[in-house]
Amino acid sequence: MNRRIKFLLFLFLVTGQIVVNRYIDISKINVDLLFLILVYISVKSGFLNSILSAAAIGIITDFLSGNIPGVFGFSRTLAAYLIRELSIYLDIRKNTFLFLLIALSLFVSNLIANIFFYFILGYPVGLNLVFYPPLLTGLVGLLIVSPAKMKEYLDVY
């Protein structure tokens, strides 16, 4: 039962990210559902598995967003390292710490990506990439994991 729930949640998040990138104007709403998968893998898996998964998810994010290949691959890998190290010290069973872990790590990841975009494309540092997505993604992650039954299914309980 737990495997089926995890697979359906994974499928929902991947499909949701494709729908968000395809049909919703990124400048208005930008939630990074693939990053939630990265957070789960980084917290529950070993170091090498989390780093390799982060690089793969970053490359997929680069492909879906249509940006320079490798920018999000690099920034997501650094974020996975940060998540892995912080999750050792934080009690992620508490919703406040879970929100902060998601929001701060995505903030760092998007800030690094935005710095690359600034130097390569002259793209200005804006709230659309650095500030709003971490807050929205943190809230969505909190809504998904906050029910006690979901924490039990995801082994976060």
Side-chain angles (χ1 to χ4, degrees):
M1 182 71 172
N2 284 353
R3 278 193 131 156
R4 190 176 349 180
I5 297 284
K6 288 178 188 178
F7 177 74
L8 289 174
L9 183 61
F10 174 78
L11 191 64
F12 170 75
L13 291 174
V14 170
T15 306
Q17 186 66 47
I18 292 171
V19 168
V20 165
N21 282 354
R22 281 267 202 223
Y23 301 110
I24 296 176
D25 187 16
I26 299 279
S27 63
K28 293 181 182 175
I29 183 172
N30 191 2
V31 61
D32 197 348
L33 299 174
L34 291 177
F35 194 78
L36 295 176
I37 296 171
L38 175 96
V39 170
Y40 181 76
I41 291 171
S42 295
V43 169
K44 299 304 278 183
S45 299
F47 178 76
L48 185 62
N49 192 18
S50 66
I51 295 298
L52 292 176
S53 299
I57 288 173
I59 297 296
I60 291 169
T61 303
D62 283 327
F63 175 73
L64 289 176
S65 64
N67 286 322
I68 300 168
V71 170
F72 282 111
F74 177 72
S75 68
R76 296 300 194 248
T77 304
L78 289 178
Y81 176 75
L82 178 69
I83 292 167
R84 181 88 182 123
E85 293 301 314
L86 286 178
S87 68
I88 296 170
Y89 302 107
L90 294 176
D91 183 16
I92 59 169
R93 293 175 294 183
K94 295 184 179 180
N95 290 337
T96 306
F97 291 133
L98 181 66
F99 173 77
L100 287 174
L101 182 70
I102 294 170
L104 289 177
S105 60
L106 185 58
F107 172 78
V108 168
S109 175
N110 285 353
L111 183 65
I112 291 168
N114 206 330
I115 289 170
F116 277 116
F117 292 145
Y118 174 76
F119 285 121
I120 296 171
L121 300 173
Y123 186 74
V125 176
L127 297 177
N128 291 344
L129 183 63
V130 177
F131 186 69
Y132 296 133
L135 292 179
L136 288 174
T137 305
L139 287 175
V140 168
L142 200 60
L143 289 174
I144 291 172
V145 180
S146 64
K149 198 68 169 169
M150 204 59 176
K151 286 183 181 180
E152 182 181 326
Y153 286 140
L154 295 175
D155 301 326
V156 181
Y157 200 47

